[in-house]
Structures are given as structure tokens and as C-alpha cells.
Amino acid sequence: MRHMLYPDEYMDSTYAIDFKKLYKDGYRGILFDIDNTLVPHGAPADERAIALFKELKQIGFTTCLISNNKEPRVKSFCDKVDSDYIFKAGKPLPGGYEEGIRKMKTTKENTLFIGDQIFTDVLGAKRAGLYTIMVKPIHPKEEIQIVLKRYLERIVLFFYFRSIRKKSVEK
């Protein structure tokens, strides 16, 4: 079970990811979480997010945002970045991820997921069979249920980073 909680990669920010390399590696679709992955919790799409999605389209990616939020929040964000979306996705259940893959007309093998939470984002993407990139949350202000999960995430991340260090020492 613990490997289902480990992302395939961990990055400081969505905006630090080398998307051209991911495209070169064969990925064609990207599922994104919104809050604290692309913008602070509850914030509208900003210029940085809009520019990112424009760049992703130029590279050749298809995108879909997957959120447990209600449609008004998700639709208003996606209208600004020009992306498909899934609202009330039921993360960490795999159904929302699979629906996003169908909307993008990609496959599990050429789709990846980017999010900031282990117990919803990473776990759900792993259950759906996707490559996962976890990013540090953009802003510390979050809803209380997320704050509580962050304490448990710290424990998982401690062992995740330890396993990475151990693998690099073994090489």
C-alpha cells in the first residue's frame, strides 16, 4: 500500500516541470488538480496558469483538470485556461481520472497526473494506473480537513524521500 502513496516524481512547483521532456518521453495528456497545484486554494486562474496552458497546447499536450470541487469553481477556472474538466471527481477513486482520460482521448500509458496531495491526488492517480508528479502546495492557507491530512503526508513524504536517498546510495 505504501507505494500507492508515493509519487513517481516530486517537484517544487508545477511551473518547474520540464513539459517538453515529458512530451519527448511519450506523454500526450495531462490531468491536473487545481487548488494549490496551479493557484492558491480558491483563487481564479492567473496569468501564470493561463500562460502554462497555452504553452502546453503549443507543445502538443491535451489537458483536463480534475477536481472534487463543484462545477462553478472548476468551470470558471477551466474557461480561462481553455481546458476540459471533471468536477466532483470523487478523488481518490479512479473513476474521475478515467473519465478525464476518455475526454482527452489518451491512454493510461501516455497520460500523467499532477497534484499536491498524497491521499487524494497521488493515491487516486496511482489507483487509475497513471504516472504521478506531486508538487509542493503553492500556499499554506487551506481548509481544515486538508491541514489535518498534511500532518499524515509529512510522515509519508519522510519515508518517500528516505527511499529515494537509499536508492541513490545503492547506485
Side-chain angles (χ1 to χ4, degrees):
M1 177 66 176
R2 97 184 138 97
H3 295 296
M4 292 293 284
L5 299 177
Y6 287 7
D8 294 297
E9 290 184 57
Y10 186 89
M11 300 289 294
D12 284 338
S13 166
T14 299
Y15 301 97
I17 296 170
D18 185 347
F19 289 102
K20 287 179 182 173
K21 181 185 180 310
L22 289 168
Y23 193 84
K24 186 179 172 189
D25 290 345
Y27 292 100
R28 296 298 181 260
I30 305 174
L31 293 169
F32 284 95
D33 175 52
I34 300 173
D35 288 324
N36 261 339
T37 298
L38 295 165
V39 293
H41 187 81
D46 58 17
E47 291 305 315
R48 186 166 71 159
I50 293 166
L52 173 65
F53 278 78
K54 186 180 280 189
E55 177 189 350
L56 293 172
K57 283 186 186 357
Q58 288 172 347
I59 292 170
F61 281 109
T62 305
T63 61
C64 184
L65 282 77
I66 174 173
S67 176
N68 285 344
N69 277 307
K70 295 177 183 169
E71 188 171 23
R73 161 71 177 135
V74 181
K75 183 179 182 334
S76 66
F77 190 96
C78 292
D79 285 347
K80 287 188 176 179
V81 299
D82 189 27
S83 180
D84 273 331
Y85 63 89
I86 308 294
F87 67 96
K88 289 190 176 178
K91 296 185 292 183
L93 297 174
Y97 298 86
E98 292 163 352
E99 185 179 345
I101 292 167
R102 282 191 297 277
K103 274 192 174 195
M104 294 188 298
K105 296 180 174 74
T106 57
T107 66
K108 290 179 183 187
E109 294 76 26
N110 69 3
T111 302
L112 63 104
F113 177 82
I114 301 169
D116 70 298
Q117 294 185 58
I118 289 174
F119 297 108
T120 51
D121 296 333
V122 172
L123 178 59
K126 288 288 191 175
R127 291 173 78 189
L130 299 174
Y131 187 85
T132 60
I133 300 175
M134 183 176 174
V135 295
K136 286 182 185 175
I138 289 176
H139 194 274
K141 182 180 177 262
E142 298 180 295
E143 295 174 345
I144 187 65
Q145 72 270 18
I146 296 170
V147 171
L148 296 173
K149 284 192 276 185
R150 293 287 185 203
Y151 290 110
L152 295 172
E153 281 185 356
R154 284 188 194 124
I155 296 167
V156 174
L157 287 172
F158 170 81
F159 289 104
Y160 167 73
F161 289 121
R162 190 171 85 174
S163 74
I164 288 174
R165 283 190 302 273
K166 188 176 181 180
K167 284 178 189 173
S168 66
V169 168
E170 291 172 356
K171 288 182 180 178

